């Protein structure tokens, strides 16, 4: 009775609500088709007004089927190329008709949406057709994804890129002939010829390039979205990373980086290897700062919203070119060590250290970052080992052929220009040498205990230059002439002082160090005067002449003037051939000689010259005036042997 009253009291509005509830119940059913039919039969028996549920289900099913058929038809329409073996020539509507491309993507969206619909999921036949359509669509989208990537890849414009790079380092000089690590032959290193070392280029912070045409990025993102939502993320990632990996490999080729095995790298001659190292340094900068940065940006755009896929995609794309660069770095790190490689190895270390910071921010692949750290460590060890090789070479260089004219030894030039360049790497070398600092402290000589800086690099420099000075001292002993021994040491120590004072070396070694070496130069100058001019000056002394200036022995006077002339002419003949390159030192030496010799000669002539001038052949003994001697002294130390014309007259 209560049921009848309730039934008859339902008005039209209540009926609508019942129908709406029934419709919702039907949509919520997720059971097998047979079970749903049984449940609907029971539902409709409750009240004749619910009998419309069956019609509602049928109407909804018909609408879904129509939508599915239309979407499937669009996808099948573009399958005509499946029988064509040359699928690379086929193009989906993206190439020709944006409208049809949009229609195709809408069809894919429609099927993906209908697949989750209850009414289709319960229909095995429709589901089979839907899965086949999705599989077919993904295959076509994968092909189109690949084609768009390939056709819209922007080739690297290396020339334009180089033009935009700011040059920030100075070039240093060396002669065309390289100097090997054994110092068997030396080339002059100076700041006026050739190119010794170039730190390379620095990239601007705003430097970037387009890797893909911007118009294609939106299309690529739309395709990637569909493939990932369809469960085809693996295929999407593989396609993307394969194409972009090849593009990055091509960029390395354009940058001049070859694929070489470790064995091949180690067989390359130094000059060719040096060029490859320079290209590698620039390639690391461009690859990390420009190419991988751009690739990361591209992945962010195309795979926006899919963080894990984005990371995988970028890592897989970058791995190939990064490993190629790291393999070359490893080959250099374990290669034969020689002094000329040190600067380039330090450059490689510095650029990889900078790049590693960026790599760790971009790449989540722990293996790749670990490999980069390993190569960086290897380059650091190679730099330290090469520096040690250089130190040992300076200590052990034992050429026995003295410089003919007392000139600056090539070893001195090489070492000082070498260490002058090393100052640019002070920060890096302090870092690398820090662990060895305690071992080296005991090697510091007591005279240099007041070193004004305590950095590891400064201490090693001090030891290195001390080794050079000791080596030069040994080489000076090869000279039988004590005066030339002094000229040689003066030239070389002064050269060392000038290189230190005129560069950042001065800040590292300090003013006290410079003062001590300048004191050494002055002492060598005094030693030179004693060794060279004492015999000549003895001829101008009064001792042994006998009597006063008026009645001195003419025989003794003649002998004194004759001996003095002989000493002076011999000195002139020999020492015009000696070389003092520094103009200030050369002038100071001449002044010192003049101050010692000219006054003594003038005084001696004033006291005794008149006793010989009145006699026969006086010109044979008094051959030079004080002014003559002063002028002749200006010819000393020019490196061009001369003979006084008086000697020719004398011997005639």
């Amino acid at each position: 009775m209560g049921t009848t009253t309730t039934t008859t009291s339902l008005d039209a509005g209540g009926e609508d609500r019942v129908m709406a509830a029934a419709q919702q119940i039907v949509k919520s059913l997720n059971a097998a088709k047979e079970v749903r039919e049984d449940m609907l039969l029971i539902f409709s028996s409750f009240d004749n007004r619910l009998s419309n549920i069956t019609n509602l289900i049928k109407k909804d099913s018909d609408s879904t089927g129509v939508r599915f058929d239309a979407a499937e038809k669009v996808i099948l329409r573009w399958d005509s190329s499946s029988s064509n073996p040359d699928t690379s020539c086929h193009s989906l509507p993206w190439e020709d008709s944006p409208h049809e491309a949009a229609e195709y993507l809408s069809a894919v969206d429609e099927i993906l949406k209908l697949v989750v619909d209850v009414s289709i999921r319960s229909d095995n036949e429709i589901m089979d057709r839907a899965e086949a359509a999705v599989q077919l669509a993904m295959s076509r989208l994968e092909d189109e994804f690949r084609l768009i990537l390939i056709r819209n890849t922007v080739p690297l414009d290396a020339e334009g890129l180089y033009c935009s790079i700011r040059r920030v380092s100075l070039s240093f000089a060396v002669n065309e002939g390289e100097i090997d690590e054994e110092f068997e032959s030396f080339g002059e290193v100076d700041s006026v010829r050739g190119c010794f070392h170039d730190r390379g280029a620095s990239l601007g912070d705003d430097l970037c390039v387009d890797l893909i045409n911007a118009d294609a990025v939106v299309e690529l993102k739309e395709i990637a979205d569909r493939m990932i939502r369809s469960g085809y993320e693996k295929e999407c990632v593989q396609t993307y990373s394969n194409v972009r990996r090849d593009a990055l490999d091509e960029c390395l080729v354009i940058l001049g980086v070859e694929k070489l095995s470790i064995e091949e790298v180690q067989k390359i001659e130094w000059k060719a290897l040096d060029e490859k190292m320079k290209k590698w340094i620039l390639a690391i900068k461009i690859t990390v700062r420009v190419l991988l940065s751009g690739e990361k940006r591209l992945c962010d755009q195309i795979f926006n919203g899919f963080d894990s896929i984005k990371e995988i995609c970028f890592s897989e794309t970058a791995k190939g070119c990064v490993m190629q660069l790291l393999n070359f770095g490893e080959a250099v790190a374990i290669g034969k060590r020689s002094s000329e490689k040190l600067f380039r190895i330090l450059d490689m270390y510095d650029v990889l250290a900078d790049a590693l910071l960026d790599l760790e921010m971009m790449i989540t692949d722990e293996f790749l970052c670990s490999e980069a750290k390993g190569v960086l460590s290897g380059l650091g060890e190679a730099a330290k080992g090469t520096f040690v090789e250089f130190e040992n070479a300076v200590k052990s260089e034992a050429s026995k052929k003295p410089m003919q004219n007392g000139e600056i030894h090539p070893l001195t030039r090489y070492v000082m220009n070498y260490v002058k360049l090393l100052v640019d790497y002070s920060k890096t070398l302090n870092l690398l040498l820090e662990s060895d600092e305690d071992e080296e402290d005991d090697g510091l000589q007591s005279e240099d205990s007041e070193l004004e800086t305590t950095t590891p690099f400064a201490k090693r420099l001090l030891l290195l230059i001390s080794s050079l000075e000791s080596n030069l001292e040994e080489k000076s002993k090869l000279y039988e002439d004590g005066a030339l021994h002094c000229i040689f040491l003066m030239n070389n120590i002064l050269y060392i002082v000038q290189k230190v004072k005129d560069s950042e070396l001065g800040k590292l070694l300090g003013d006290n160090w410079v003062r001590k070496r300048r004191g050494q130069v002055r002492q060598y100058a005094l030693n030179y005067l004693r060794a060279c001019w004492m015999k000549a000056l003895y001829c101008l002394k009064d001792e042994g002449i006998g009597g006063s200036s008026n009645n001195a022995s003419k025989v003794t006077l003649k002998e004194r003037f004759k001996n003095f002339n002989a000493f002076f002419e011999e000195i002139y003949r020999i020492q015009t051939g000696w070389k003092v390159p520094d103009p200030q030192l050369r002038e100071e030496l001449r002044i010192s000689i003049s101050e010692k010799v000219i006054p003594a000669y003038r005084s001696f002539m004033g006291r005794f010259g008149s006793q010989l001038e009145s006699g026969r052949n006086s010109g044979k003994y008094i051959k030079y005036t004080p002014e003559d001697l002063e002028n002749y002294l200006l010819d000393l130390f020019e490196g061009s042997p001369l003979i006084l014309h008086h000697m020719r007259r004398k011997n005639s």
Side-chain angles (χ1 to χ4, degrees):
M1 186 71 178
T3 302
T4 303
T5 304
T6 302
T7 301
T8 56
S9 66
L10 284 171
D11 55 13
E15 184 176 345
D16 289 341
R17 287 193 295 275
V18 170
M19 292 296 292
Q23 184 177 7
Q24 186 61 39
I25 292 172
V26 171
K27 287 185 176 291
S28 300
L29 293 175
N30 190 20
K33 184 176 180 181
E34 296 78 6
V35 175
R36 284 197 298 150
E37 289 176 351
D38 291 343
M39 293 178 69
L40 290 172
L41 182 63
I42 295 171
F43 248 143
S44 60
S45 66
F46 288 157
D47 193 294
N48 60 354
R49 283 166 298 182
L50 295 178
S51 62
N52 287 333
I53 290 178
T54 304
N55 294 331
L56 181 64
I57 293 173
K58 184 175 183 304
K59 180 178 179 182
D60 185 65
S61 177
D62 290 344
S63 173
T64 300
V66 170
R67 288 163 55 201
F68 176 80
D69 289 341
E72 183 186 43
K73 183 178 179 181
V74 171
I75 291 173
L76 293 175
R77 183 196 314 161
W78 292 100
D79 187 38
S80 59
S81 67
S82 60
S83 59
N84 183 355
D86 188 14
T87 55
S88 63
C89 295
H90 172 72
S91 66
L92 282 173
W94 282 267
E95 290 286 319
D96 305 316
S97 173
H99 172 73
E100 292 182 350
E103 182 186 24
Y104 191 90
L105 292 176
S106 295
V108 172
D109 290 340
E110 185 71 15
I111 289 181
L112 292 177
K113 185 166 62 175
L114 291 173
V115 163
V116 299
D117 192 286
V118 173
S119 59
I120 288 186
R121 289 177 64 83
S122 63
D123 191 323
N124 292 334
E125 180 185 351
I126 293 295
M127 281 301 295
D128 289 343
R129 286 172 58 194
E131 289 174 0
V134 168
Q135 185 176 2
L136 180 61
M138 292 305 108
S139 176
R140 302 318 307 152
L141 287 180
E142 182 181 339
D143 289 342
E144 187 63 24
F145 193 61
R146 181 183 297 105
L147 287 171
I148 293 175
L149 281 170
I150 293 173
R151 292 174 181 175
N152 288 278
T153 294
V154 179
L156 183 66
D157 178 13
E159 185 176 348
L161 186 62
Y162 293 151
C163 289
S164 64
I165 293 174
R166 296 194 297 271
R167 309 293 297 184
V168 296
S169 62
L170 298 176
S171 295
F172 298 90
V174 75
N175 68 329
E176 293 182 359
E178 292 292 342
I179 305 172
D180 61 34
E181 64 271 28
E182 290 82 21
F183 295 97
E184 291 176 353
S185 61
F186 297 98
E188 182 176 338
V189 185
D190 215 335
S191 59
V192 293
R193 294 182 296 178
C195 181
F196 180 59
H197 183 64
D198 184 353
R199 287 299 301 271
S202 177
L203 307 187
D205 293 336
D206 57 347
L207 185 61
C208 63
V209 296
D210 290 326
L211 305 176
I212 291 282
N213 288 322
D215 294 342
V217 174
V218 175
E219 298 169 355
L220 290 168
K221 175 170 174 49
E222 289 182 342
I223 294 175
D225 285 345
R226 271 74 178 185
M227 292 186 72
I228 294 170
R229 284 195 286 115
S230 301
Y232 283 74
E233 63 272 8
K234 182 179 179 181
E235 291 78 1
C236 184
V237 167
Q238 186 174 3
T239 299
Y240 180 88
S241 58
N242 285 344
V243 174
R244 294 307 305 159
R245 190 185 301 125
D246 290 344
L248 290 179
D249 287 346
E250 182 61 28
C251 288
L252 291 185
V253 172
I254 293 171
L255 293 173
V257 178
E258 306 171 60
K259 282 189 176 180
L260 299 169
S261 67
I262 290 178
E263 293 76 14
E264 288 173 325
V265 172
Q266 294 181 343
K267 290 178 182 177
I268 300 173
E269 293 295 327
W270 162 240
K271 286 188 178 180
L273 179 61
D274 185 47
E275 288 301 314
K276 294 185 186 301
M277 291 166 80
K278 285 192 286 187
K279 289 178 180 177
W280 184 91
I281 290 164
L282 187 57
I284 282 283
K285 293 179 182 179
I286 291 175
T287 297
V288 175
R289 292 282 303 281
V290 179
L291 300 180
L292 294 187
S293 178
E295 199 64 49
K296 179 74 171 176
R297 189 168 57 252
L298 193 60
C299 282
D300 290 344
Q301 293 172 332
I302 294 175
F303 300 101
N304 184 34
F306 306 101
D307 290 344
S308 61
I309 294 175
K310 179 169 58 180
E311 294 296 335
I312 294 171
C313 231
F314 177 70
S315 294
E316 288 300 312
T317 300
K319 186 179 296 182
C321 73
V322 171
M323 286 305 302
Q324 182 181 337
L325 291 168
L326 292 179
N327 287 340
F328 180 86
E330 181 183 5
V332 170
I334 64 177
K336 183 181 178 182
R337 293 170 182 173
S338 57
S339 58
E340 70 268 16
K341 293 181 182 179
L342 180 55
F343 301 104
R344 206 63 73 194
I345 291 174
L346 287 169
D347 285 336
M348 292 177 68
Y349 180 90
D350 283 343
V351 76
L352 185 56
D354 289 341
L356 186 57
L357 298 175
D358 293 327
L359 276 176
E360 288 181 314
M361 291 179 64
M362 288 191 288
I363 296 178
T364 57
D365 189 322
E366 292 184 4
F367 169 78
L368 207 56
C369 291
S370 175
E371 287 292 299
K373 290 177 182 177
V375 172
L376 180 66
S377 176
L379 288 171
E381 289 300 315
K384 283 202 297 183
T386 303
F387 188 60
V388 170
E389 289 288 321
F390 178 67
E391 291 174 318
N392 292 335
V394 173
K395 291 177 184 177
S396 61
E397 196 283 318
S399 58
K400 296 299 182 182
K401 185 178 179 182
M403 301 297 292
Q404 235 175 8
N405 54 7
E407 245 269 50
I408 300 166
H409 199 284
L411 175 64
T412 308
R413 292 185 183 275
Y414 185 94
V415 171
M416 292 312 300
N417 283 279
Y418 195 95
V419 298
K420 185 177 176 181
L421 296 177
L422 280 179
V423 177
D424 287 345
Y425 301 89
S426 295
K427 182 178 179 182
T428 301
L429 286 168
N430 277 323
L431 178 67
L432 294 175
L433 297 172
E434 192 170 13
S435 59
D436 303 329
E437 185 176 2
D438 294 338
E439 301 173 14
E440 299 295 338
D441 281 347
D442 295 337
L444 291 174
Q445 299 177 5
S446 59
E447 65 165 330
D448 294 310
S449 60
E450 297 178 13
L451 189 63
E452 295 175 17
T453 178
T454 57
T455 64
F457 177 53
K459 291 181 179 180
R460 292 290 282 270
L461 273 184
L462 180 63
L463 290 170
L464 177 64
I465 296 176
S466 294
S467 296
L468 172 61
E469 291 171 327
S470 298
N471 197 317
L472 292 171
E473 182 65 38
E474 288 300 311
K475 293 186 187 307
S476 72
K477 296 176 183 177
L478 297 173
Y479 295 103
E480 294 180 3
D481 190 324
L484 186 54
H485 164 99
C486 295
I487 292 293
F488 173 78
L489 288 174
M490 261 192 293
N491 281 332
N492 284 271
I493 297 301
L494 180 62
Y495 185 85
I496 292 172
V497 169
Q498 288 172 334
K499 287 295 179 180
V500 169
K501 190 173 180 296
D502 297 339
S503 69
E504 293 297 311
L505 287 169
K507 295 180 181 178
L508 290 175
L509 300 183
D511 293 337
N512 188 50
W513 187 94
V514 172
R515 281 193 297 271
K516 286 183 178 181
R517 270 65 191 177
R518 286 199 178 279
Q520 289 179 0
V521 173
R522 288 192 296 272
Q523 186 59 51
Y524 288 131
L526 290 174
N527 294 345
Y528 158 79
L529 290 173
R530 292 194 196 101
C532 181
W533 292 96
M534 286 300 293
K535 290 182 180 180
L537 289 171
Y538 178 77
C539 297
L540 304 178
K541 291 184 178 294
D542 294 350
E543 292 87 348
I545 293 179
S548 65
S549 59
N550 295 323
N551 59 4
S553 168
K554 288 189 177 183
V555 174
T556 305
L557 286 175
K558 288 178 181 180
E559 189 67 24
R560 290 290 185 91
F561 274 106
K562 183 179 177 181
N563 288 340
F564 176 83
N565 293 337
F567 283 131
F568 187 86
E569 288 164 359
E570 182 69 6
I571 290 171
Y572 183 88
R573 181 183 66 82
I574 294 173
Q575 296 191 22
T576 52
W578 292 359
K579 181 74 172 177
V580 176
D582 182 71
Q584 184 176 345
L585 177 59
R586 188 166 63 244
E587 182 64 21
E588 288 174 356
L589 278 174
R590 290 169 179 167
I591 291 172
S592 297
I593 297 169
S594 181
E595 288 176 345
K596 291 283 186 183
V597 176
I598 303 304
Y601 184 76
R602 181 177 283 114
S603 176
F604 191 78
M605 275 195 66
R607 294 196 305 276
F608 304 110
S610 59
Q611 296 186 38
L612 297 181
E613 287 174 350
S614 59
R616 295 176 59 189
N617 301 320
S618 63
K620 184 178 179 181
Y621 305 104
I622 305 177
K623 296 166 63 173
Y624 309 106
T625 66
E627 290 71 28
D628 290 334
L629 296 182
E630 204 156 16
N631 288 330
Y632 288 137
L633 288 178
L634 298 178
D635 296 332
L636 299 184
F637 314 125
E638 292 288 350
S640 301
L642 298 173
I643 298 175
L644 287 173
H645 68 278
H646 284 89
M647 295 182 69
R648 291 196 296 271
R649 187 183 69 184
K650 172 185 159 185
N651 296 329
S652 59

